[in-house]
Amino acid sequence: MLTVASDIDVLARFGRALADPIRCRILLALRQAPAYPADLADALGISRTRLSNHLACLRDCGLVVTVPDGRRTRYELADERLGHALDDLRAAVVAVEADKTCPDAASKGCC
């Protein structure tokens, strides 16, 4: 059974991963299909060094794993449920954005 502390840790790691737009783009790309770092760097238009740093963060957060493939290493989401979670989170944010049920949204720009 998860404790409150471990639940918070898991959510904090997920939040840290999503805090950077490049890491979000990597996760969305890997949601579509596993990929090799060179291909990801080209697709995202970033340097391989920069990509490597972001992939290390995502590995440390437990969201992506490496799969040896001959002399190359392929990256993929650590669990297919992460792809569903990303879809659900994105849909929820879009729904909230469209709803704007917060009474202060217009005057304070808070939501």
Side-chain angles (χ1 to χ4, degrees), residues 28 41 56 65 73 86 97:
L28 291 173
V65 294
T73 300
L86 291 168
E97 178 67 25

Side-chain angles (χ1 to χ4, degrees), residues 23-40:
R23 288 193 293 271
C24 290
R25 292 172 60 203
I26 293 168
L27 289 170
L28 291 173
L30 294 177
R31 179 179 58 83
Q32 297 298 321
Y36 298 100
D39 298 334
L40 275 173

Side-chain angles (χ1 to χ4, degrees), residues 39-61:
D39 298 334
L40 275 173
D42 291 344
L44 299 176
I46 61 174
S47 72
R48 291 180 186 186
T49 302
R50 192 168 182 196
L51 177 76
S52 178
N53 290 334
H54 286 291
L55 287 172
C57 177
L58 292 171
R59 276 192 322 268
D60 291 345
C61 290

Side-chain angles (χ1 to χ4, degrees), residues 91-108:
V93 170
V94 168
V96 169
E97 178 67 25
D99 188 19
K100 293 282 189 185
T101 57
C102 176
D104 296 326
S107 63
K108 295 183 181 178

